Amino acid sequence: MEEAATICVLVLEGIATAAVLYVIKSILTPDPPVHLGVYHRPGRWYGLKFALMYLLVKLQQGRKKQKREKDAPLVTGLPQSGYGVLSHDSPEEMDLPQELQDHEHALDSAYFNGFAPDGTAVVMRICRRHGRRAEIWFILHVPGVGVLQAPQHPDTAVFNTDGKTFSAAGLSFEPVEAMRTWKVQFNGMMRLTESPRTDVTKEEGRLVHVKFSFMWSAYTLPFNFDTDIHPRAIARAMAIEKWNKQFFQDLRSSHQTHYNQWGQLWGGLHIEGHEEQHVRLKGYRDHSFGVRDWGFMYRYIVHFAYLEDGTCLQVATVCFPTTMSDLRTGYVFTPNGKMEAVSAVDLVLSSIGEDGTMPHHYSFNFVAGGKKYHVQVEIYCQSTWYNGLQWESRVHERLANFTVNGLSGWGVCEFNYKNTTGCPLPPRESRPQQPLPDVTSSHRKLLTLPLSSPVCRSTELVGGKGSSLATLTALQSNGAMFKVPSGFCVTMAAMKLQLKLHPTLKSKLEELAQVSCSGQVDALKGMCQSVGEMFISVALVPEVREAIKAELDNLRTTSQFAVRSSAIGEDTEEMSAAGQMITDLGVRGLDQICDSVQKCWASLYGFPAVQYRRQHGQPVVSSMAVVVQEMVPAEVAGVLFTQHPVTGHPGKMVINANYGLGESVVSGESHPDTITLSRGVDGSCQVEGVDLGSKTQQVVPLDNGGTALQEVISAQSEKCCLSNDTAVRLGHIAVQVEEAYGGPQDIEWAVSQDTVYLLQARPITTFGIETEWELMHEFDAPLSSEKEISTTSNIAEMMPGAVTPLTASTFSRAIEYGLQNIAASVGLKNCQPYFKKMGLCLGHMFINMHNVAEIYEQHVTIADKRVAEMSLVGRCLEEITMDDIIEYHGKSSLWKGVVHSFNFVKHLYTSKHKIQKLEKTLTTYSICRHDNATAMYEEINERLPECYQAWADHMSYGARSAAWSTVLMMVLSQGAREWTMQLFSDMAHLYVNCEQVTSADVPDTLEKLAVKLIEEGHRDRLIAMSPQEATAWLLGADSGPSGQLFQIFLDLHGHRCLREAELREMSWRAAPTKVVLTIQTMLKNNQIASVKEPFNFHEAVKKIKSPITFAGRYILKWALPYARQGVMEREQSKSAAVKMADHFKQAYWYLASLMVAEGRLPEEDLLFFLTHQEIGTLLRSRSAVLVAKALRRRRILPKQMSLKFPEICRGHPEPIEVGALSVSGSDLMLKGMPVSHGTVTAPARVVTRLEDAGTIQAGEILIVQSTDIGWSPYFPLLSGLVTELGGLISHGAVVAREYGLPCVVSVKNATAMFQTGDLVLLNGTEGSVRKLNANS
């Protein structure tokens, strides 16, 4: 004891002595000078500070999933987030656009890049700043085209943004699902040059229209620099700095949350003058928010690279002179998604490009996860950008080829310098935007509001049209180049009061709401007519009449008025409701105005308007304000689109104009002049082209009220009705309006006595509609490497064909979770919320064999690649080798392999208990039914993990069967590495007639039922019945023993059906007619129960051709019963999982019925064309866009279902060509004006009268002379539209674009040349309609 005590004392004395010596040395040793006056180097207390910071950061990282409480910071002096602490509790909160901090340098920045081996590359960044300002970085490198960049580059400032979203200069980033999916779109002009422009004062290259719509999907976890940075990196960077109060204050004031995530961009890219191409790019996104003063940053170099094997990396060296003058950090994601933080980097800022001369070839090294990486960089393109209003920073975005440890890669390196040259451009700022008014309870009681009132800008009070006119009126008062006719709005409160004082009218609306949910079109039409007549016939309440009179008295005019509807949701970004409500022109006096107001209210409940709202999931019982405006005695009037309405070209404005009132243009009753303006990026305009219309008629006001069509004299119709000067003036006004609204506009205008009047401005609603290609590929899963192998085997047997979006967002994720759960239970990696082991492409499901191979023998000693492949594919794959798998997943040590094997065996062993528990749970399982859709959705959402777990348990239990198959195959192969087809053939003998297998029991039971029906003499009777009648009889009491047997079948197997994992497919219990059809077929074919011989082990062994040793025979006899039982157990567990899924299937159908009853969906089936997440969004927002998208998704499902894929796919799956469309013979082809893009082949339906519209069948192409609002209810049935008359803004064109239907207008003699039933190829992109011959 004494000796031990002595030793302890000596050790402590030694430590104390060392500490004293360290302190003395540190005191006596001077700190090294700051290198180049900027870069700090390790000083005398470096070791102590490093150790302290390392321990503190490790401590905080250990709690990184918990957001630090403000009143209990873990480390005094550090910011409230970062350095190991998350800034937000939920991914949803973190991924959304953030509210800017109250700091002049506050920012919220989103960045995307993407690269392909062929040299295609894109870099995009939108940084939101205060004052509706943004910084934009944008470069696109396309081989064979050139380098494209934002027109204002090298300046990055953009003004007049919406200030709320990631959108600027035509570029937009929209989060779809937090940390998983984003939509990235661009529609604008880019500067095409051989190399990026560096001098903002020089015009270089040419401007071209570029348009793309990409989806971005993640395949890695986010790397959050608040929590995931290596503690060694952050400790080193802080330890070299001089610590004082100012140092920690600077840390707190300059913090920004910053995270990266890797994924894939894909979509269509259109560059003016070139064919559209579809691209797939690997890259990463970044989200940063907090405070960033570009002048505070001295330098940084950051590298992002994607390697050919799927590895992704980021390595950075950063200099913040007052906080971290030499921070070296980064990370690596291996191809299978494993994340390793960078612990050391030898890239020294001061030694590379310090003088501003940046090398085009250089190399460096770093360490991550204990592995050393050698990086070689070769620059091939460079863009320069200046950031900040005074150009405080200069960024060089350098596209590069990488070589990392011998692997090729592609990416970007970013060099940033503090800039002192200043900005040569004059001071700039955004146009003042009218703030939204504060609406009080007293405002909500007002029955009228003048357009000049600030509160009139509230859509809540006056609807979309009234609010827009009030906004235009406010712009007019700020010195704009236009006028807005004086007027007022009859508010929503007026209509509410009308209903309150006429209770019979209110009860009629309640009845209308009930009828609308029934789906009975004729009944709905009758009810709409009845409601409309009642609205007109009842007296206008005196209070409203007096309020209108007061407004007229204030206007003090005897002019005629235009009375127009302004309904909730009308003329918004989501819904146009074009032409559905009444506009009364030429209205005079109080009595006529009051009558027109009631007509407008009545039109809100006309069948076209009601059906439009119903089809878009909007409340049928809605409200409306009414706009009353002085009419302009227009000499010329029309519509202006600030971007081309079909192509979206932002450099082309399109004006449609005619003599007289604009009604002739809006209604499509006349062929107007079309003037195209070219628009510069500086807002300048000039006439580019004039296309004269016939202009045979014009609409003019009558002296005694109303309007009339009047012939236009030929001398006028032969010339353009609008002068070039006026057209250019309209263009400049339109630029002003677009900047004020922050987006492209559809503007109604009129010219009278050389004064321009604006009558309406509404957002163009059709630019963001997805193309068919985008919808087809909408849910494609990304791949981290194009070397990955996928298969349709196994998964396509359970889920043949394409899945609906709801199934893709639930069942596909359940299978992914199940496969990841096995790997997690082994101890390899935690589950990630991304598709790694599952794949989706064109709506079809795949299994990713590269990622499934994570649990092969390289990590789990007892596992066998061949067994897994046999289980999933039915054969051993030569397409993927163990070397490929080890390259992808790495290899565990022998010790870890043994541990993983133990965990794997334990997982398989416990899976039986889990299935037994699941089966017990299912005996009483139910999902509570609620009486409202929101509560029902929340119930499903809360319970959905139980469905995921059921599928996971089934897959784990199924793996037991594969384990026993391994034993059998080892015996038959006598341990040989190669498993021949003969061995598989022999194995089949051993699995003949396994007992109690559910899949076999289904036909057996049906055969027995058929026999019973024959025995009881019901065969002929049942065959003669319709399937519905037969179902009713079998479920009724008269069916006797046969019916009892049928009920037993439903009790046992009623949760099954074809494509049973597809939530849209009703199970046999829910739709027994499906199985009754099968029974009737069996009876017609006289199918009787087959006799099966029992399995005999010795007979089976005799049939085996492979030699079996004496010992092998005994092992076989012992193992075979377990293996055969494994088959039964696998089927049993699948049945349990399907039964659980059927509970959710029924719950979703019930939810669909509630949403239809509440008017949120027009029909139940549409629910399955929304993702689970979108259903929640729809319930919160009633988004008309989502309902319209669901309709378009359903339209393309048959095409997705028709696709066929090879069994094995390398990289992204490509469907097999099953024959291209051919046109031969004397085919008829007509040309017209393309107004809505897309291509479709379908039967024609030629209709010359609206009364015959009832003959339209779903999926047909409608060919008519023209369409008006009466045709709107039939659009959801159509696959395309052809009209003989019309233009860009005619009713058919507007609605077709909204529905995403291919449409060609102005096709002469189309109704005479085509007949109903003709097979027609409609090309809405080229503007052609072709009749195919019968053989086509």
Side-chain angles (χ1 to χ4, degrees), residues 715-769:
Q716 283 186 305
S717 63
E718 291 173 359
K719 66 179 182 179
C720 185
C721 61
L722 200 63
S723 70
N724 283 1
D725 288 345
T726 304
V728 170
R729 183 150 54 109
L730 277 171
H732 290 146
I733 291 171
V735 171
Q736 189 179 20
V737 171
E738 186 181 80
E739 288 179 349
Y741 280 93
Q745 299 290 304
D746 165 1
I747 301 170
E748 294 180 23
W749 55 270
V751 177
S752 177
Q753 297 181 357
D754 204 37
T755 299
V756 175
Y757 293 86
L758 296 192
L759 312 179
Q760 179 59 21
R762 52 182 164 257
I764 301 176
T765 60
T766 56
F767 287 164
I769 292 180

Side-chain angles (χ1 to χ4, degrees), residues 1136-1283:
V1138 172
K1139 192 170 186 178
M1140 173 64 80
D1142 189 49
H1143 281 284
F1144 284 87
K1145 186 182 294 187
Q1146 294 176 48
Y1148 276 118
W1149 274 108
Y1150 178 70
L1151 172 61
S1153 69
L1154 289 175
M1155 292 181 72
V1156 170
E1158 294 175 9
R1160 298 175 185 273
L1161 282 176
E1163 51 185 298
E1164 294 178 9
D1165 187 55
L1166 278 184
L1167 180 89
F1168 301 92
F1169 294 89
L1170 298 167
T1171 68
H1172 176 77
Q1173 294 74 23
E1174 286 173 341
I1175 295 171
T1177 301
L1178 183 61
L1179 288 170
R1180 292 188 297 270
S1181 67
R1182 294 198 87 135
S1183 168
V1185 170
L1186 279 178
V1187 178
K1189 182 184 283 189
L1191 283 164
R1192 294 196 298 275
R1193 286 169 174 167
R1194 185 169 64 179
R1195 197 176 297 132
I1196 65 162
L1197 183 63
K1199 181 177 285 190
Q1200 290 179 313
M1201 289 289 291
S1202 69
L1203 298 176
K1204 304 296 180 185
F1205 290 86
E1207 179 191 34
I1208 301 296
C1209 307
R1210 185 177 293 277
H1212 282 87
E1214 293 291 341
I1216 301 170
E1217 291 288 339
V1218 291
L1221 179 68
S1222 60
V1223 179
S1224 59
S1226 55
D1227 299 311
L1228 168 69
M1229 186 176 77
L1230 301 181
K1231 289 287 231 175
M1233 177 187 293
V1235 294
S1236 187
H1237 290 178
T1239 303
V1240 64
T1241 302
R1245 174 65 60 176
V1246 180
V1247 180
T1248 56
R1249 300 184 309 162
L1250 180 59
E1251 292 78 12
D1252 297 329
T1255 62
I1256 297 171
Q1257 301 296 310
E1260 291 181 327
I1261 295 173
L1262 178 62
I1263 301 178
V1264 291
Q1265 183 183 30
S1266 66
T1267 66
D1268 63 14
I1269 192 59
W1271 292 88
S1272 292
Y1274 302 99
F1275 272 76
L1277 295 173
L1278 306 180
S1279 62
L1281 176 67
V1282 178
T1283 67

Side-chain angles (χ1 to χ4, degrees), residues 1026-1029 1031-1032 1046 1068 1070-1078 1080:
S1026 70
Q1028 292 76 21
E1029 292 171 337
T1031 302
F1046 183 61
W1068 293 330
T1073 302
K1074 292 181 177 181
V1075 75
V1076 170
L1077 281 167
T1078 303
Q1080 289 179 309

Side-chain angles (χ1 to χ4, degrees), residues 138 204 287 340 414 567 851 1032 1091 1150 1184 1220 1301:
F138 196 9
E204 299 176 20
H287 188 192
E340 298 285 2
E414 195 171 287
N851 276 297
V1091 179
Y1150 178 70
L1301 299 175

Side-chain angles (χ1 to χ4, degrees), residues 287-302:
H287 188 192
S288 303
F289 51 89
V291 174
R292 181 186 297 174
D293 178 359
W294 284 110
F296 173 76
M297 189 178 294
Y298 178 68
R299 277 195 66 194
Y300 69 72
I301 301 175
V302 59

Side-chain angles (χ1 to χ4, degrees), residues 306-568:
Y306 164 78
L307 307 185
E308 59 182 314
D309 70 340
T311 298
C312 309
L313 61 90
Q314 188 253 40
V315 182
T317 304
V318 185
C319 176
F320 300 95
T322 62
T323 54
M324 296 187 191
S325 61
D326 190 7
L327 173 62
R328 306 177 193 181
T329 184
Y331 57 83
V332 171
F333 280 104
T334 59
N336 67 351
K338 185 179 180 182
M339 180 173 66
E340 298 285 2
V342 169
S343 58
V345 185
D346 69 0
L347 184 65
V348 180
L349 269 181
S350 60
S351 65
I352 180 169
E354 181 68 19
D355 61 353
T357 304
M358 297 165 288
H360 281 71
H361 298 83
Y362 60 95
S363 63
F364 62 92
N365 302 285
F366 70 90
V367 177
K371 180 179 178 180
K372 185 175 181 180
Y373 293 82
H374 177 65
V375 182
Q376 295 170 276
V377 185
E378 180 183 357
I379 307 300
Y380 65 86
C381 180
Q382 175 176 298
S383 185
T384 301
W385 300 321
Y386 293 94
N387 299 290
L389 290 176
Q390 298 304 316
W391 285 16
E392 295 91 345
S393 158
R394 183 178 78 252
V395 168
H396 302 275
E397 200 78 357
R398 316 181 79 202
L399 304 181
N401 293 319
F402 289 80
T403 304
V404 181
N405 290 357
L407 291 172
S408 297
W410 308 270
V412 64
C413 59
E414 195 171 287
F415 280 61
N416 174 74
Y417 292 89
K418 186 173 183 178
N419 187 58
T420 57
T421 61
C423 177
L425 300 173
R428 300 154 292 164
E429 62 180 1
S430 298
R431 287 182 177 273
Q433 191 174 42
Q434 300 294 332
L436 292 175
D438 293 326
V439 178
T440 65
S441 57
S442 59
H443 290 142
R444 294 186 178 91
K445 297 176 183 177
L446 295 174
L447 302 179
T448 58
L449 277 170
L451 293 177
S452 57
S453 169
V455 79
C456 194
R457 295 198 299 275
S458 168
T459 56
E460 175 190 351
L461 302 181
V462 299
K465 189 174 295 178
S467 169
S468 177
L469 283 167
T471 300
L472 289 174
T473 301
L475 286 175
Q476 165 194 268
S477 63
N478 290 336
M481 299 181 290
F482 61 85
K483 290 186 177 181
V484 179
S486 300
F488 60 91
C489 289
V490 181
T491 66
M492 306 276 186
M495 186 177 184
K496 184 178 180 181
L497 182 63
Q498 180 82 351
L499 292 174
K500 180 180 179 180
L501 299 183
H502 293 286
T504 55
L505 188 57
K506 189 173 183 179
S507 62
K508 199 74 172 177
L509 290 182
E510 293 172 354
E511 188 178 348
L512 172 66
Q514 294 177 352
V515 173
S516 71
C517 295
S518 68
Q520 299 176 9
V521 175
D522 290 338
L524 183 60
K525 285 182 179 178
M527 182 58 67
C528 288
Q529 183 175 350
S530 175
V531 169
E533 291 171 353
M534 184 175 289
F535 257 107
I536 293 173
S537 62
V538 299
L540 185 66
V541 297
E543 293 89 339
V544 175
R545 182 182 178 89
E546 288 302 315
I548 294 173
K549 181 178 183 302
E551 292 290 351
L552 291 174
D553 291 343
N554 289 335
L555 289 175
R556 299 176 183 174
T557 179
T558 58
S559 300
Q560 293 183 347
F561 288 87
V563 181
R564 297 190 286 170
S565 65
S566 181
I568 290 176

Side-chain angles (χ1 to χ4, degrees), residues 907-955:
H907 180 73
L908 297 183
Y909 179 78
T910 57
S911 64
K912 183 172 185 177
H913 170 72
K914 292 177 181 177
I915 287 296
Q916 290 172 342
K917 183 179 179 182
L918 173 61
E919 290 176 332
K920 183 178 180 180
T921 299
L922 286 170
T923 58
T924 58
Y925 190 84
S926 66
I927 298 175
C928 181
R929 298 300 193 259
H930 296 268
D931 59 2
N932 69 86
T934 300
M936 189 66 225
Y937 174 78
E938 290 173 353
E939 177 77 21
I940 294 174
N941 190 58
E942 184 179 339
R943 304 288 292 276
L944 199 55
E946 297 167 4
C947 185
Y948 283 30
Q949 192 59 52
W951 283 111
D953 292 343
H954 156 59
M955 285 183 279

